[in-house]
Short mmCIF file of all heavy atoms in Angstrom, two decimals:
data_model
loop_
_atom_site.label_atom_id
_atom_site.label_comp_id
_atom_site.label_asym_id
_atom_site.label_seq_id
_atom_site.Cartn_x
_atom_site.Cartn_y
_atom_site.Cartn_z
N VAL A 88 -12.47 13.65 129.57
CA VAL A 88 -12.91 12.36 130.11
C VAL A 88 -13.17 11.41 128.95
O VAL A 88 -13.79 11.80 127.93
CB VAL A 88 -14.21 12.55 130.93
CG1 VAL A 88 -14.73 11.22 131.44
CG2 VAL A 88 -13.96 13.52 132.09
N ARG A 89 -12.66 10.21 129.06
CA ARG A 89 -12.80 9.21 127.99
C ARG A 89 -13.56 7.97 128.40
O ARG A 89 -13.88 7.13 127.57
CB ARG A 89 -11.41 8.80 127.47
CG ARG A 89 -10.67 9.94 126.84
CD ARG A 89 -9.24 9.52 126.48
NE ARG A 89 -8.55 10.60 125.80
CZ ARG A 89 -8.66 10.82 124.50
NH1 ARG A 89 -9.40 10.04 123.74
NH2 ARG A 89 -8.03 11.84 123.96
N ASP A 90 -13.80 7.86 129.69
CA ASP A 90 -14.39 6.63 130.20
C ASP A 90 -15.72 6.95 130.86
O ASP A 90 -15.80 7.68 131.82
CB ASP A 90 -13.41 6.03 131.24
CG ASP A 90 -13.67 4.56 131.48
OD1 ASP A 90 -14.60 4.00 130.85
OD2 ASP A 90 -12.95 3.95 132.31
N PHE A 91 -16.79 6.41 130.28
CA PHE A 91 -18.14 6.71 130.76
C PHE A 91 -18.89 5.41 131.06
O PHE A 91 -18.67 4.38 130.42
CB PHE A 91 -18.92 7.47 129.67
CG PHE A 91 -18.33 8.83 129.39
CD1 PHE A 91 -17.32 8.99 128.45
CD2 PHE A 91 -18.81 9.95 130.05
CE1 PHE A 91 -16.77 10.23 128.19
CE2 PHE A 91 -18.25 11.22 129.79
CZ PHE A 91 -17.26 11.36 128.86
N GLU A 92 -19.75 5.50 132.05
CA GLU A 92 -20.63 4.36 132.38
C GLU A 92 -21.84 4.43 131.45
O GLU A 92 -22.30 5.50 131.09
CB GLU A 92 -21.12 4.46 133.83
CG GLU A 92 -20.02 4.57 134.88
CD GLU A 92 -19.29 3.28 135.08
OE1 GLU A 92 -19.77 2.25 134.62
OE2 GLU A 92 -18.21 3.32 135.72
N VAL A 93 -22.33 3.23 131.12
CA VAL A 93 -23.59 3.17 130.36
C VAL A 93 -24.72 3.52 131.29
O VAL A 93 -24.80 3.04 132.42
CB VAL A 93 -23.80 1.77 129.77
CG1 VAL A 93 -25.19 1.67 129.13
CG2 VAL A 93 -22.70 1.45 128.76
N MET A 94 -25.55 4.43 130.84
CA MET A 94 -26.68 4.90 131.66
C MET A 94 -27.92 4.92 130.77
O MET A 94 -27.91 5.63 129.75
CB MET A 94 -26.33 6.31 132.17
CG MET A 94 -27.30 6.82 133.19
SD MET A 94 -26.69 8.40 133.86
CE MET A 94 -26.70 9.47 132.44
N HIS A 95 -28.88 4.14 131.09
CA HIS A 95 -30.05 4.02 130.22
C HIS A 95 -29.63 3.67 128.79
O HIS A 95 -30.02 4.31 127.82
CB HIS A 95 -30.85 5.31 130.24
CG HIS A 95 -31.54 5.53 131.52
ND1 HIS A 95 -32.79 5.04 131.83
CD2 HIS A 95 -31.15 6.17 132.66
CE1 HIS A 95 -33.13 5.36 133.06
NE2 HIS A 95 -32.14 6.04 133.59
N GLU A 96 -28.79 2.64 128.74
CA GLU A 96 -28.39 2.02 127.47
C GLU A 96 -27.50 2.88 126.59
O GLU A 96 -27.17 2.49 125.48
CB GLU A 96 -29.65 1.57 126.65
CG GLU A 96 -30.52 0.61 127.42
CD GLU A 96 -31.80 0.22 126.67
OE1 GLU A 96 -31.90 0.56 125.49
OE2 GLU A 96 -32.68 -0.41 127.30
N ARG A 97 -27.12 4.05 127.05
CA ARG A 97 -26.23 4.93 126.28
C ARG A 97 -25.22 5.54 127.22
O ARG A 97 -25.41 5.60 128.43
CB ARG A 97 -27.02 6.06 125.60
CG ARG A 97 -28.09 5.62 124.62
CD ARG A 97 -27.47 5.16 123.31
NE ARG A 97 -28.46 5.03 122.25
CZ ARG A 97 -29.27 3.97 122.12
NH1 ARG A 97 -29.22 2.98 122.96
NH2 ARG A 97 -30.15 3.94 121.11
N ILE A 98 -24.10 6.05 126.64
CA ILE A 98 -23.13 6.74 127.50
C ILE A 98 -23.33 8.27 127.48
O ILE A 98 -22.70 8.97 128.27
CB ILE A 98 -21.67 6.37 127.14
CG1 ILE A 98 -21.36 6.72 125.68
CG2 ILE A 98 -21.41 4.93 127.43
CD1 ILE A 98 -19.86 6.58 125.35
N PHE A 99 -24.16 8.74 126.60
CA PHE A 99 -24.40 10.20 126.56
C PHE A 99 -25.82 10.44 126.05
O PHE A 99 -26.18 9.98 124.96
CB PHE A 99 -23.39 10.90 125.67
CG PHE A 99 -23.18 12.36 125.95
CD1 PHE A 99 -22.06 12.77 126.65
CD2 PHE A 99 -24.10 13.30 125.52
CE1 PHE A 99 -21.84 14.14 126.91
CE2 PHE A 99 -23.89 14.66 125.81
CZ PHE A 99 -22.79 15.07 126.50
N HIS A 100 -26.58 11.13 126.85
CA HIS A 100 -27.91 11.59 126.41
C HIS A 100 -27.86 13.12 126.31
O HIS A 100 -27.37 13.79 127.23
CB HIS A 100 -28.99 11.21 127.43
CG HIS A 100 -29.09 9.73 127.67
ND1 HIS A 100 -30.10 8.95 127.13
CD2 HIS A 100 -28.32 8.90 128.40
CE1 HIS A 100 -29.96 7.70 127.54
NE2 HIS A 100 -28.87 7.63 128.31
#
Side-chain angles (χ1 to χ4, degrees):
Chain A
V88 177
R89 296 174 176 276
D90 200 359
F91 295 87
E92 305 287 347
V93 173
M94 188 173 64
H95 290 274
E96 302 177 9
R97 300 284 193 279
I98 59 171
F99 203 103
H100 301 256

